[in-house]
Amino acid sequence: VLDEPTAVLGPDDARRLLDIVRDLATRGVSIVYISHRLDEIFRCADRITVLKDGHKVQTLAPADADVDGLVRLMVGRRLTAMFPPRENVVGDELLRVAGLSRAGVVEDVSLSLRAGEIVGLGGLVGSGRTELVRLIFGADRPTAGEIRVKGRPVCIRHPQEAVHSGIGLVPEDRKAQGAVLDMALHANVTMAHMGSVTRLFGWIRETFEREISDALIGELAIKTTDSRLEVANLSGGNQQKVVLAKWFHTDSEIVILDEPTRGVDVGGKSEIYALIQKMAQNGKAILVISSESEELMGLCDRILVMGGGRLRGELMPDEFTGENILTLSLRRDATVEEPEDIMQ
């Protein structure tokens, strides 16, 4: 039984794993392959079973199915309807990064984010995307570069200073870094802004904390029976919504989302896309890291592409193709554009 075996693998390693799976099948091994990457299902499955909310919907042969058909079975609508319409209005610049570097990891990266804008950050696994946002969020120390929030230089040496500067981060590993799984849902939601639920000497107003979390549970459609339930008992998609809820609760105007739908089913993805769009409509600047080109193209206003720790280029909507994203990510000898050009 293989449960999301390629979630953290690059394209080459994923293809290699699928070859191994097919070889095992030819040798008589029975395999249950669970994945939200539907292209993998079509490449290795002899039968496809769709589950929804714990119930079997249908079993069919790959020859009798297509991606749109599976999506309809899973969420009740076509793949093209997964992404909400772009209704956000782009405003003033909220974040500017100039020449940000960390020796041997990230080299001379410059970018900007504006209010109401959703910017994608693409590239292959190991391209430096996560390392870049860790520098912006203060989880790692840069060796060079400058960060400005609303035009003002800020010195971010620790994640707490990033939060105080109005920056939030949903990390790629929600189980290890994004949520405290053995704590209650209401505690996870408020932990990034404890001042809002504490009284004198730091005592937590638990009733008020639960009122806040109950409101966010409704707003984000988190499926749970009680805000006192431990986050570990929620599905992957609802765990991710809890992590997102932290930044709905704070006054962060800049939100960085690192692989926001990894390990989330198709229906959960659609709901998370709507929440990201809602954040943008509320005037937040959003930076989305994703290994899925379709996700970046369906969600973002523009896409930045990294490779080898450097920013390799920028794509506007009329240039969005999977081939263009991959070509930029593999570019090794390209002359990187000057910061002024990247940030226009």
Side-chain angles (χ1 to χ4, degrees):
V1 179
L2 302 174
D3 190 355
E4 298 288 351
T6 62
V8 296
L9 298 182
D12 290 339
D13 288 334
R15 282 192 292 270
R16 192 172 297 116
L17 176 63
L18 289 174
D19 289 340
I20 294 171
V21 168
R22 284 193 293 266
D23 180 61
L24 289 172
T26 61
R27 288 192 272 158
V29 178
S30 297
I31 296 167
V32 177
Y33 190 94
I34 304 166
S35 180
H36 299 123
R37 296 181 173 180
L38 300 184
D39 59 318
E40 295 178 2
I41 297 295
F42 282 102
R43 289 172 59 188
C44 69
D46 298 304
R47 284 180 290 132
I48 302 172
T49 295
V50 177
L51 300 180
K52 180 176 173 60
D53 296 330
H55 298 278
K56 173 183 169 181
V57 178
Q58 189 174 340
T59 295
L60 61 168
D64 299 326
D66 57 26
V67 171
D68 272 343
L70 290 185
V71 170
R72 281 197 298 272
L73 291 174
M74 296 167 77
V75 298
R77 55 186 179 275
R78 295 177 61 85
L79 180 63
T80 52
M82 286 283 292
F83 299 98
R86 293 189 183 94
E87 298 175 345
N88 42 312
V89 177
V90 177
D92 296 334
E93 182 180 84
L94 297 183
L95 176 70
R96 176 176 287 253
V97 173
L100 201 62
S101 301
R102 188 180 185 206
V105 180
V106 173
E107 184 179 353
D108 193 29
V109 171
S110 298
L111 58 85
S112 74
L113 298 177
R114 297 182 178 276
E117 186 178 36
I118 304 175
V119 177
L121 189 59
L124 301 176
V125 173
S127 63
R129 302 170 304 174
T130 295
E131 290 78 6
L132 171 64
V133 300
R134 284 178 61 86
L135 294 178
I136 296 173
F137 195 63
D140 295 323
R141 293 283 188 90
T143 53
E146 181 184 55
I147 299 173
R148 288 177 175 264
V149 175
K150 294 183 176 179
R152 178 176 58 87
V154 294
C155 181
I156 300 175
R157 297 160 296 184
H158 188 274
Q160 187 176 20
E161 294 177 342
V163 175
H164 288 163
S165 297
I167 302 174
L169 170 66
V170 174
E172 62 176 333
D173 188 344
R174 65 173 174 271
K175 293 182 182 293
Q177 300 172 336
V180 183
L181 299 181
D182 58 359
M183 286 180 64
L185 189 159
H186 63 77
N188 274 269
V189 166
T190 58
M191 65 171 54
H193 190 23
M194 292 297 296
S196 66
V197 294
T198 54
R199 53 168 66 96
L200 193 62
F201 305 119
W203 293 102
I204 296 175
R205 297 180 289 172
E206 292 187 3
T207 301
F208 185 48
E209 184 179 53
R210 285 198 295 272
E211 287 176 358
I212 291 174
S213 63
D214 287 343
L216 285 166
I217 287 171
E219 183 179 357
L220 277 67
I222 299 172
K223 294 180 181 177
T224 180
T225 55
D226 195 317
S227 66
R228 291 171 293 186
L229 196 69
E230 292 182 359
V231 175
N233 294 312
L234 304 179
S235 68
N238 285 293
Q239 288 179 3
Q240 191 74 335
K241 287 183 185 180
V242 170
V243 180
L244 284 169
K246 286 194 301 186
W247 306 114
F248 272 76
H249 175 55
T250 69
D251 54 2
S252 298
E253 295 184 83
I254 302 157
V255 181
I256 302 169
L257 308 172
D258 193 351
E259 300 287 1
T261 63
R262 174 176 288 172
V264 176
D265 64 39
V266 174
K269 285 184 178 183
S270 178
E271 293 174 346
I272 289 173
Y273 296 151
L275 292 174
I276 294 171
Q277 179 67 29
K278 183 175 182 179
M279 295 172 85
Q281 288 174 349
N282 290 338
K284 297 182 186 292
I286 314 293
L287 181 64
V288 177
I289 299 173
S290 179
S291 299
E292 298 185 26
S293 298
E294 294 81 3
E295 187 166 87
L296 293 175
M297 293 186 291
L299 191 62
C300 299
D301 299 300
R302 54 191 173 95
I303 299 172
L304 307 176
V305 182
M306 289 194 68
R310 297 179 66 99
L311 197 59
R312 296 298 181 182
E314 177 181 21
L315 299 172
M316 302 306 291
D318 60 350
E319 302 171 300
F320 285 1
T321 66
E323 182 180 357
N324 284 344
I325 294 173
L326 183 60
T327 298
L328 283 177
S329 68
L330 294 174
R331 184 182 295 171
R332 289 289 180 264
D333 301 321
T335 301
V336 180
E337 297 174 74
E338 292 298 319
E340 290 77 14
D341 295 325
I342 286 289
M343 293 188 286
Q344 284 180 352

